Amino acid sequence: ASSYDFTMYGAADEIVPLLVKGELDAAAVPANLAATLYNKTNGAVEVACINTLGVLYIVENGETVNSVGDLKGQTIVTTGKGATPEYVLRYVLSENGIDPDKDVTLEYTSEATEALSKVQAGEATIAMLPQPFVTVAQTQLPDLRVALDLTEEWDKTQPENGSSLVTGVTVCRKEVLEQNPEAAELFVKEHGESAEWVNANVTDAAELVAAAGIIEKAPIAAKAIPYCSIVCIDGEDMKTRLSGYLEALYEMEPSAVGGQMPDDGFYYLHE
């Protein structure tokens, strides 16, 4: 395999200027940030592949919720007000005939630990949390049950070959893709092989996750990996899934994708 230099950053915002200045060639970023970046830089970056589908789950300390319909009349504690978690939840509720403003109570917290502490204290029984935090939370609250997988619930609202819930994508600078098409092809291919390896070798991958400091304990990482939707989807399939997802965000909040839907130049469709 080729050799790549990796750097982990605490926040996606740190990556943006480095990409714009050309100090990074590729970056794994949230899907909506990629669209915003494309709009801001007049198309200087393109999305090479989807690397993570949805990681949001409805968890419950109880047995009430077995379908989206069961959320009607309930209080859901979550993070991400004015950000993608809110829009995803609203979309899935609305598509299931539930009015997010009237039929449910959405209670926002500033971070996932705070949402969990409300459940632990018995102030709430239902929360929407991301992986790998869900797995960490289950070590503290063994009765916490994963009630709904929002990636699956999103899929159920779509026609055949529709959009997907997308968390992360890999973007590359357009200049790099155009000047090094062979290297770009190889990068996407190896990206795919690495995603396959992680999902097939969970225990070994978990050791690497712990070594990189992403999750402290490898056994928790090993439990979480199967629920983290690690993929490598490129080409037309990526375009269909991602454009539909961005469209759903755009309809709720145009600024979430940078004010306008990215045009076709956003999608790197190699030969």
Side-chain angles (χ1 to χ4, degrees):
S2 318
S3 65
Y4 300 101
D5 287 329
F6 285 102
T7 312
M8 295 268 300
Y9 295 92
D13 306 353
E14 297 176 53
I15 295 172
V16 174
L18 300 173
L19 208 52
V20 172
K21 286 191 286 200
E23 289 174 29
L24 293 174
D25 294 326
V29 296
N32 65 312
L33 177 64
T36 302
L37 203 50
Y38 179 80
N39 285 326
K40 262 190 186 161
T41 61
N42 297 320
V45 297
E46 289 180 39
V47 60
C49 62
I50 294 170
N51 60 45
T52 315
L53 291 172
V55 295
L56 291 168
Y57 291 81
I58 297 284
V59 295
E60 183 190 11
N61 198 1
E63 298 293 329
T64 312
V65 180
N66 297 294
S67 70
V68 176
D70 294 338
L71 292 170
K72 200 166 185 172
Q74 302 286 356
T75 296
I76 306 163
V77 183
T78 180
T79 61
K81 181 161 181 57
T84 47
E86 177 187 356
Y87 306 140
V88 167
L89 183 54
R90 283 176 166 274
Y91 179 83
V92 170
L93 290 169
S94 303
E95 292 288 313
N96 281 277
I98 297 173
D99 182 334
D101 295 310
K102 291 186 187 147
D103 299 335
V104 292
T105 304
L106 302 180
E107 196 179 306
Y108 295 97
T109 62
S110 55
E111 50 185 345
T113 45
E114 193 186 333
L116 178 64
S117 66
K118 283 185 183 284
V119 177
Q120 279 173 312
E123 290 170 37
T125 55
I126 301 166
M128 181 177 75
L129 300 170
Q131 284 286 9
F133 186 80
V134 170
T135 304
V136 175
Q138 285 173 319
T139 62
Q140 296 167 25
L141 200 62
D143 291 338
L144 197 65
R145 179 180 74 88
V146 171
L148 301 172
D149 173 348
L150 288 181
T151 310
E152 277 177 22
E153 297 305 329
W154 185 289
D155 283 350
K156 287 180 195 170
T157 69
Q158 299 298 306
E160 191 75 17
N161 305 323
S163 72
S164 289
L165 170 47
V166 182
T167 300
V169 300
T170 300
V171 293
C172 298
R173 287 193 296 117
K174 188 176 181 178
E175 196 179 56
V176 174
L177 293 173
E178 284 176 352
Q179 288 169 6
N180 311 283
E182 289 86 4
E185 290 284 320
L186 185 61
F187 173 60
V188 175
K189 180 173 164 284
E190 292 185 340
H191 200 321
E193 288 166 1
S194 114
E196 273 175 34
W197 182 86
V198 166
N199 289 317
N201 300 278
V202 169
T203 314
D204 293 342
E207 294 293 341
L208 296 176
V209 169
I214 299 165
I215 295 182
E216 270 177 52
K217 299 186 174 75
I220 293 178
K223 269 190 181 152
I225 286 170
Y227 301 99
C228 288
S229 310
I230 297 164
V231 295
C232 180
I233 299 168
D234 62 348
E236 289 292 343
D237 190 15
M238 162 191 74
K239 185 180 174 184
T240 303
R241 292 171 184 246
L242 179 56
S243 61
Y245 170 67
L246 294 173
E247 186 75 49
L249 292 184
Y250 176 77
E251 282 174 16
M252 277 184 272
E253 181 49 71
S255 68
V257 299
Q260 59 183 27
M261 277 294 289
D263 58 33
D264 286 356
F266 179 54
Y267 305 94
Y268 170 62
L269 303 176
H270 47 91
E271 294 314 307

